[in-house]
Each structure stands twice: as structure tokens, then as C-alpha cells.
Amino acid sequence: MALPNPAIADGMVVTIHYTLTDDSGTVIDSSQGADPLEYLHGHGNIVIGLERELTAKKVGDALKVAVAPKDGYGEHNPLGRGKVPRDSFPKDMELEVGMQFSGEGDKDEPHVVWIAEIAPDHVVIDQNHPLAGKTLHFDVKVDSVRPATKEELEHGHAHGAHGHDHEHGHHH
Ligand code: ZN
């Protein structure tokens, strides 16, 4: 029999409502007015500093967490920026600031870059996550907690109310 109000632990699927603000109080991201964010606890699906603080919390618990860059999206590396010619992207591809690409790194490790600026002849790409170097202020309320299914544990992520859907596999 399932516990009436299980605590968050590794292998639990958790949904949270959250608002993320920066140091100045500007809202960066929020689940208000949308479905809560669903994730599999203990698998690094969300930033580590927030995941750690959610451990042992229960439905209805609310918490405010300030996550330092090292436990969030990493320190900002000033050498992470570089210019590439506009024609290194397909001509018909609509480029937008903030778009994310994954390519292969030096050692065949997949690595992700973001478009930071677009000029007529070149594009500035940045290996830093847009939130690198920032302290993340999360205001979180636990919405639901349930044990993960075997399939979710095998995949290392939650599958949610829409069945097997990898669309939600892109984590912020
Ligand atoms: Zn899956």
C-alpha cells in the first residue's frame, strides 16, 4: 500500500510549482498558470542545488532556495564565446538568440552551445548556459510525489500524464 504522503527520495516522481528569479528579483521562469514541472528525483533532471533541498519534502511543503552557480548552471567562462560565420548554419534555418545546439566537443563528448548574438555575416555562440554564473532563487511548492515506474527508472526521467513522451526530456 502506498504511503498517504510519501517524502521525496531518489526514485520518486515529483511535480513542483516554481518561480525562478535572479538576484534583482526579475522572474526568469515560472510554472504559474501552467502545468507543474515534473521530474524524477535523484537523477540530475533538475539543478543539483534545488534537487538536494527537495529531498525529504512532502506534498504541500513550500521552500525558498538560493542556488549558487556551482550547484546551478556552472560558473561563467569568459572564454566560452566565439564567432562563427553565418554560413556555417544552413541558409534556410531561422536563427534566434537563445537557440540551443548540440554538437561534438573536442573528445567526441556532446556539448551544447547557445546563440548569443546574430549579425548579418556572423553569429556569436556561447558555451555557457544562459544562466551560468547566476545565483538562482527558487520559490517552490511541492505539488505531488509518487514512486517512479520501472520504465521511468530505466530511462532516468519521468514520463508524466501524457504517457511516453520525450518532448519533456529537455531540462532547463
Ligand atoms: Zn523515456
Side-chain angles (χ1 to χ4, degrees), residues 20-64:
L20 169 60
T21 51
D22 65 13
D23 281 333
S24 69
T26 302
V27 175
I28 298 167
D29 195 9
S30 174
S31 67
Q32 304 309 318
D35 287 340
L37 172 74
E38 182 173 54
Y39 77 96
L40 176 59
H41 196 81
H43 288 254
N45 291 174
I46 60 173
V47 294
I48 192 72
L50 177 59
E51 184 169 60
R52 204 161 52 207
E53 293 300 318
L54 281 163
T55 300
K57 298 292 187 291
K58 295 182 173 185
V59 170
D61 284 351
L63 56 154
K64 284 184 163 65

Side-chain angles (χ1 to χ4, degrees), residues 151 155 157-159 164-166:
E151 192 184 46
H155 287 204
H157 55 231
H159 283 157
H164 194 270
D165 171 10
H166 280 167

Side-chain angles (χ1 to χ4, degrees), residues 57-105:
K57 298 292 187 291
K58 295 182 173 185
V59 170
D61 284 351
L63 56 154
K64 284 184 163 65
V65 185
V67 176
K70 70 174 172 58
D71 294 326
Y73 292 104
E75 301 290 350
H76 189 267
N77 174 5
L79 302 178
R81 278 192 170 219
K83 267 188 198 181
V84 295
R86 173 63 181 87
D87 20 344
S88 53
F89 296 92
K91 239 199 182 113
D92 56 353
M93 182 184 266
E94 292 235 11
L95 301 179
E96 256 181 74
V97 170
M99 268 175 99
Q100 189 181 325
F101 292 89
S102 34
E104 298 223 322

Side-chain angles (χ1 to χ4, degrees), residues 139-150:
D139 196 336
V140 174
K141 190 162 186 207
V142 180
D143 184 68
S144 72
V145 181
R146 66 165 169 87
T149 65
K150 191 164 165 277

Side-chain angles (χ1 to χ4, degrees), residues 120-135:
D121 61 331
H122 71 264
V123 174
V124 178
I125 57 168
D126 198 333
Q127 297 176 46
N128 293 289
H129 187 281
L131 296 176
K134 292 192 173 154
T135 298

